Amino acid sequence: VLQSSNSLKASYEDWLLTYGLSVSPFHMRWQTALFNRQFYNWGRWKPRFLYLWFSVGMVFGIVAMFGSVILLGKTLMQTLTQMLTEAPKAQNDRMLQVVVSVLFSGRYLRVPGVNLPVSQLTYFFSAILISGVIHEVGHGVAAIREQVRFNGFGIFIFIVYPGAFVDLFTTHLQLISPVQQLRIFCAGVWHNFVLGAASFIVLFLLPAILFPFYYTGVGALVTEVAEDSPANGPRGLFVGDLVTNLQDCPVYSVEDWNSCLGDISEKSQVGYCISAATLQQLSFPARVYRRLDGTVECCSNNSLTDICFSYSNNLDSHLYACLPARKVIEASKVCRTNTDCQKDFVPSLCVTPSLENQTRLIRVKHPPHIDMLYVGHPMHLQYTVSLSSFVPRQNFLSIDLPVVIETFCKYLISLSGALAVINAVPCFALDGQWILNSFLEATLSSLIVEKQNRELVGFLILLAGSALLAANVALGLWMVTAR
């Protein structure tokens, strides 16, 4: 609108030029020379160290170029196999997988508003921006180290995704040797790899780093309970509760919580030991009927405290009793068969909740509070309750800080690692294009004398790499939308 106005067009374009802004459909960028002095200081700091640093980065970039092709090819074959052998279905939404899967596997592709939670958007976009800035800092410092003129640094937003760029003097870049060019072109993916590795180290050492303020290994601390969570309620879980057990499965960390819920979901429902006298005292006559899935119900649908239990004795192997759940479970030990309950010559039986398929009765211990009894699918409990392995040593310390650091490190590992892999792909408009061209010039100049023939070889490789990348993107998006 402003550019179409005769009176405003000139002043609008002058304003954009003054502030280094560029605006076009779905794209906005800002470039400045404010940081040039800082970049030149970095590029001239310890020349020998920087030479070794970017030489190692050059080797890494070349290896990453070949490795990314293998990884993308493997991912494409896995996606095609999955499409041909199974129908789209819900998958466990884990954050960290093989880095390339974060961008291109249908199971793990992160699309804001589709399969990326709104609460995670800040981590997502911050990690992308930081990864992009570190990537371009690598290019800029390497270019100054190789005596290439540095014109400026900038950031951009493409649709909703942020990024960064550096402006180098193209003529200087073309005059230096292919090996020098490789150091510059590989510096971006090298810095992304280093950022991901540093984030992994911080994540691994986080318990030691936070040890003066937080301790671990005592349970899983509840940091948030969703409003629609089945764990809500007067006898449910609250922020600040420390979960120590799920059934007979001890919980020392969030990983234990997830592992225990996974085991409970995969295995059959456990039972609880109860003496024959108590069973006779608590049970009352009830009508028994079968549900559509074949399981048996013997309690009224209106009951919020009673559950139908099945048990067996020497005479009949299929008996049912409607019992008050909390009285049966409290102070009872977990069992699988009647033999697990034989002790002190007291006749005892193993009673098992008769629930619908995939539904479980889970006893959640969070002392000093009374145990929570949860009836439902274990994964619903996992998705609606957020926990942390870090327990504050003082009440004034935030219970969310370790979670924020941990989550942000995971995003940096995933996205920075993914950028390192994807930018190394020999594909048009990516770093891999320039890495490949410089690599061919450095290695094939004696074998293929004609420059035109070397460029043809490079073009064919770039064409194949671009097709491989496009196929992964297309199938990844299809897998996400299909789910």
Side-chain angles (χ1 to χ4, degrees), residues 106-117:
R107 290 169 293 174
Y108 312 117
L109 181 65
R110 301 293 174 196
V111 179
V114 178
N115 68 341
L116 182 70

Side-chain angles (χ1 to χ4, degrees), residues 366-426:
H366 53 127
H369 307 288
I370 189 172
D371 294 350
M372 181 186 78
L373 301 186
Y374 167 81
V375 178
H377 197 292
M379 292 301 103
H380 294 165
L381 191 61
Q382 184 177 24
Y383 291 144
T384 58
V385 179
S386 301
L387 304 105
S388 171
S389 300
F390 296 85
V391 181
R393 295 184 181 274
Q394 302 295 334
N395 292 333
F396 65 86
L397 293 172
S398 170
I399 63 174
D400 294 321
L401 179 60
V403 178
V404 170
I405 298 174
E406 192 174 31
T407 305
F408 189 61
C409 284
K410 290 179 180 179
Y411 268 99
L412 281 178
I413 295 168
S414 296
L415 295 175
S416 188
L419 286 176
V421 173
I422 302 309
N423 268 290
V425 177

Side-chain angles (χ1 to χ4, degrees), residues 56-66 182 185-187 189-190 424 435:
V56 174
M58 176 184 67
V59 175
F60 172 81
I62 295 172
V63 173
M65 179 179 64
F66 291 103
L182 277 172
F185 296 142
C186 293
V189 298
W190 168 238
I435 294 174

